[in-house]
């Protein structure tokens, strides 16, 4: 099987990696606060396939205050980025009562409604206001 990272652009270190991740979100019309990263080791992106990977030193938990949601980001996050969507996402979980179902699809509604959908493999879909994921939230 071919390496999904083949032909990718890689940025090393927290500052470069974070800047690169944000620029990818921006280019594909995704909210800039979607990936609150810490201690980034590496961010890579393969333009032809949309494959993106992020390595951080440790797992990060972030509380999105506007929607009162705790989200966990593993030390390795991967997924395929398209316009207004990240699919086959791995390494991101949102706390749901006592459970942490993995989020595997993020879709910004188009035409724009100001809403963003999160789908898990368990078939659970949650819809939140896009502003909850603005940069700095």
């Amino acid at each position: 099987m071919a390496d999904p990272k083949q032909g990718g652009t890689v940025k090393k270190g927290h500052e470069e990696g974070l800047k690169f991740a944000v620029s990818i979100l921006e280019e594909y019309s995704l909210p800039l606060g979607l990936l609150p990263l810490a201690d980034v080791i590496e961010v890579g992106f393969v333009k032809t396939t949309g494959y993106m990977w992020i390595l951080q030193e440790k797992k990060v938990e972030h509380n999105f205050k506007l929607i009162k949601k705790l989200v966990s980001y593993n030390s390795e996050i991967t997924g395929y980025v398209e316009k207004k969507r990240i699919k086959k996402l791995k390494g991101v979980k949102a706390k749901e009562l006592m459970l942490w179902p993995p989020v595997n699809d993020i879709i910004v509604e188009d035409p724009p409604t100001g809403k963003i959908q999160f789908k898990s493999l368990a078939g659970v879909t949650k819809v939140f206001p896009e502003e909850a994921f603005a940069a700095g939230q």
Side-chain angles (χ1 to χ4, degrees):
M1 203 167 111
D3 179 3
K5 296 180 179 181
Q6 204 169 355
T9 304
V10 178
K11 302 285 182 192
K12 303 262 187 193
H14 182 71
E15 214 164 290
E16 285 296 305
L18 193 59
K19 220 180 281 182
F20 189 43
V22 168
S23 74
I24 294 165
L25 292 174
E26 204 164 27
E27 185 179 341
Y28 290 89
S29 306
L30 290 158
L32 303 185
L34 209 50
L35 300 169
L37 307 170
D39 304 321
V40 174
I41 299 166
E42 170 181 304
V43 174
F45 184 61
V46 183
K47 190 105 179 158
T48 51
T49 61
Y51 184 75
M52 178 169 93
W53 69 94
I54 297 167
L55 302 175
Q56 356 181 49
E57 278 177 32
K58 59 186 184 301
K59 186 173 123 175
V60 173
E61 287 188 356
H62 182 80
N63 194 13
F64 289 97
K65 291 180 194 72
L66 269 176
I67 54 170
K68 297 178 176 67
K69 260 294 165 220
L70 188 62
V71 181
S72 158
Y73 297 84
N74 280 346
S75 55
E76 183 173 5
I77 301 164
T78 63
Y80 289 86
V81 182
E82 322 177 331
K83 190 83 172 155
K84 295 185 175 271
R85 182 173 184 187
I86 302 174
K87 61 182 190 180
K88 294 185 182 171
L89 185 63
K90 289 187 169 67
V92 178
K93 295 176 181 170
K95 188 159 190 190
E96 208 53 65
L97 301 169
M98 303 308 281
L99 304 171
W100 287 86
V103 176
N104 79 314
D105 216 345
I106 299 175
I107 302 161
V108 175
E109 294 184 356
D110 196 17
T113 56
K115 301 276 186 217
I116 183 166
Q117 294 179 18
F118 294 82
K119 295 183 178 179
S120 77
L121 289 169
V124 179
T125 298
K126 294 280 178 189
V127 179
F128 297 111
E130 224 179 300
E131 67 202 11
F133 304 95
Q137 278 300 330

